[in-house]
Amino acid sequence: MSKVLYLSGLAAAVLLAGCQAVNTTSGGAVGVERKQYMFSMLSADEVNQMYAQSYQQTLSEASSKGVLDKTSNNAKRLQAVADRLIPQAPRFRPDAANWQWEVNLIKSPELNANCGPGGKIIFYSGIIEQLKLTDDEIAAIMGHEMAHALREHSREAMSKAYGIQVAKQGASALLGLGESGMAMADTVVQYSLTLPNSRSNENEADLIGLELAARAGYNPNAAISLWQKMEAAGGGAPPEFMSTHPSSSSRIASLQAAIPKVMPLYEQAKAGR
C-alpha cells in the first residue's frame, strides 16, 4: 500500500511541477471556478492549431465521400443555432471572440457531436434525425460541446497524460516495479488523476453549456429532455455520444438544480428577440 500511495503522490507531484494553475473561463452565473493544471510547454494556440488540421482532414474526407452536408434543412438549423451560441462564448473567455469557429454537419447514422479545441464543431445527422431534436435540444448539445472547448478540457487531459507517463516511468525506475507493478501504476494514476477530473469536466460542460444556451435564448429545460432522449436511445448498446458523455439520474438532477440560475438569462434573451 505504501508503494501505491507513493506512486499516486509522485504522479501528482510531476503533474504539478510541469504545469501551471489556470482558470480558463470566468465562472458565469453557474459558478464554474475549478482551477486547472496545464502543461506549461503546451500552449492553447498549439493545441488549437493541431486540432484545426485534424478537423480539416475530417471535413476533406467527408467531402470526398459526399457526406459533408452544407445545404440541408438540418445543416441550416445547425448554423442558425451556432450563430446565436457563438457570440455568447466571450462571456466566459474574451479571447474566444477571436477563435475561427466552424460548424459542419456530416451525414452519418452516428448519434454523436463534438466541439474540438478552438471552436471546431461537428454534428452527425443521426443524432438530429434519430432523436428528433428540437432547436433547443440542438443548442443544449452544442453548448455542452462548446463548453469543453472553452474550458480546454482536451489540453487539460493532454497535460495529465504527460504527468501520468512521466510518473509511471519515474516510479518504475525508483521502485523497481516489474510488469505487475506497472499495472498497479496504471490503476493508481487512472483513479487518482483521470477519472475524478473526467467527471468534473462533464459537470462543467453541462453547466456552462446550459448558460450558453440560455443566454442565446434557448430553453434551458431542453437539456433535461435531451438527456432523457439520449438514455432512451441506448437500448441494448448506448449511443457513441454516451460513451464519452455519460448520462445518469445524478446528471439530470444537477442540471435541474442549475436551471433556476440561468432561467432569468433565458427570459431576458427571449424578451429581447
Side-chain angles (χ1 to χ4, degrees):
M1 181 59 70
S2 61
K3 286 186 177 182
V4 172
L5 294 175
Y6 179 81
L7 180 55
S8 180
L10 180 61
V14 170
L15 179 61
L16 292 174
C19 296
Q20 51 187 308
V22 298
N23 202 340
T24 52
T25 62
S26 62
V30 291
V32 173
E33 300 287 357
R34 178 180 64 89
K35 284 290 184 185
Q36 299 164 274
Y37 291 91
M38 302 292 190
F39 182 38
S40 57
M41 294 181 66
L42 183 66
S43 73
D45 286 343
E46 288 173 323
V47 174
N48 292 354
Q49 289 170 10
M50 285 188 290
Y51 188 79
Q53 293 175 354
S54 174
Y55 184 80
Q56 290 305 318
Q57 181 178 349
T58 298
L59 297 185
S60 295
E61 291 173 357
S63 180
S64 67
K65 295 175 182 176
V67 295
L68 184 62
D69 184 351
K70 293 281 193 180
T71 59
S72 72
N73 183 54
N74 281 336
K76 294 173 183 175
R77 289 173 67 203
L78 275 184
Q79 189 62 61
V81 172
D83 287 345
R84 286 167 59 177
L85 281 176
I86 291 169
Q88 309 306 319
R91 292 180 178 273
F92 283 92
R93 53 180 300 166
D95 68 318
N98 301 319
W99 287 5
Q100 300 301 307
W101 291 90
E102 289 186 54
V103 59
N104 282 281
L105 178 63
I106 292 177
K107 292 184 233 180
S108 167
E110 292 179 50
L111 273 69
N112 207 3
N114 62 70
C115 178
K120 306 301 187 185
I121 304 167
I122 287 181
F123 269 67
Y124 295 88
S125 59
I127 200 167
I128 300 174
E129 295 168 356
Q130 294 183 46
L131 299 186
K132 296 180 171 57
L133 296 181
T134 66
D135 286 356
D136 293 296
E137 289 167 341
I138 289 174
I141 293 178
M142 194 178 295
H144 176 100
E145 293 303 315
M146 287 171 60
H148 279 304
L150 292 171
R151 287 290 286 170
E152 295 187 56
H153 287 152
S154 293
R155 184 160 75 106
E156 188 177 14
M158 293 169 74
S159 297
K160 288 176 190 172
Y162 165 80
I164 289 168
Q165 186 61 34
V166 172
K168 288 197 298 185
Q169 291 173 349
S172 179
L174 291 173
L175 301 178
L177 299 177
E179 262 186 50
S180 61
M182 288 303 290
M184 178 181 69
D186 286 335
T187 301
V188 171
V189 295
Q190 181 183 20
Y191 279 89
S192 65
L193 294 175
T194 307
L195 294 183
N197 283 326
S198 294
R199 288 192 292 268
S200 67
N201 287 357
E202 283 302 303
N203 183 60
E204 289 172 358
D206 280 347
L207 296 178
I208 291 176
L210 192 71
E211 183 168 340
L212 286 171
R215 287 185 178 276
Y218 291 103
N219 192 334
N221 289 295
I224 306 302
S225 60
L226 165 68
W227 289 109
Q228 290 171 337
K229 284 183 178 182
M230 199 72 72
E231 286 186 326
E240 183 176 350
F241 189 79
M242 297 276 281
S243 66
T244 53
H245 300 76
S247 181
S248 66
S249 58
S250 61
R251 166 176 237 149
I252 291 174
S254 176
L255 284 165
Q256 287 172 327
I259 285 174
K261 298 178 183 178
V262 301
M263 190 57 74
L265 301 173
Y266 165 62
E267 296 292 351
Q268 183 181 2
K270 190 177 176 184
R273 293 193 64 81

